[in-house]
């Protein structure tokens, strides 16, 4: 098994502030929140980056995106809006190589991102 921080959170070996989980995914609060709401949606199965996705993962990614929208709605961000982000590799600033969808809400966010 790869030595992976998010695999350890999924397995309960490292604590995470879990907000939602099912058989495919786990969502927990980012330890360094960049907005009033900052949740990470991750698959239970280790996938290193978006570059490793295959067509077999289409359902999983759909589940991740729909879960992100549901979490944003539950936090009251559906109407005003929120941002979802997958960072991939160095130029995007990916630091944890287990795919995760950031859900950020509760403040205005600029575009383009830095
Ligand atoms: P990225 O830069 O897209 O790879 O995002 C990784 C995210 O993981 C960052 O926003 C970190 O703050 C977050 N993070 C790192 N360690 C933990 C942890 N133990 N629990 C929750 N979030 C974490
Ligand atoms: Zn992992």
């Amino acid at each position: 098994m790869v030595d992976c921080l998010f695999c350890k959170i999924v397995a309960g070996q490292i604590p995470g502030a879990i907000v939602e989980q099912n058989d495919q995914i786990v969502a927990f609060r980012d330890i360094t929140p960049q907005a009033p709401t900052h949740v990470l949606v991750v698959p239970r199965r280790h996938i290193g980056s978006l570059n490793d996705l295959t067509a077999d993962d289409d359902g999983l990614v759909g589940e991740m995106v729909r879960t992100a929208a549901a979490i944003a709605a539950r936090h009251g961000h559906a109407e005003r809006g929120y941002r979802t982000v997958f960072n991939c590799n160095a130029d995007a600033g990916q630091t944890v190589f287990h795919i995760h969808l950031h859900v950020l809400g509760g403040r205005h966010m600029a575009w383009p991102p830095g």
Side-chain angles (χ1 to χ4, degrees), residues 1-8 43-47 97-99:
M1 182 186 153
V2 284
D3 185 23
C4 169
L5 176 64
F6 288 175
C7 280
K8 288 177 180 163
R44 288 189 180 277
R45 180 163 55 87
H46 182 85
I47 301 171
F97 289 86
H98 177 135
I99 63 167

Side-chain angles (χ1 to χ4, degrees), residues 68-112:
I71 289 168
R74 220 166 47 236
H75 285 76
H77 305 314
E79 191 172 336
R80 286 184 61 88
Y82 55 92
R83 184 165 292 172
T84 55
V85 177
F86 280 108
N87 290 321
C88 182
N89 280 348
D91 268 4
Q94 184 176 6
T95 58
V96 179
F97 289 86
H98 177 135
I99 63 167
H100 47 282
L101 181 54
H102 294 259
V103 187
L104 298 138
R107 67 168 174 84
H108 178 76
M109 277 167 270
W111 191 264

Side-chain angles (χ1 to χ4, degrees), residues 8 10 13 18 26 29 32 35 39-41 43-44 46 52-53 59 66 78 81 88 96-97 99 107:
K8 288 177 180 163
V10 165
Q13 293 165 359
I18 292 172
V26 178
R29 295 197 185 280
T32 310
V39 172
L40 303 174
V41 182
R44 288 189 180 277
H46 182 85
D52 300 311
L53 288 171
R66 282 193 314 99
C88 182
V96 179
F97 289 86
I99 63 167
R107 67 168 174 84

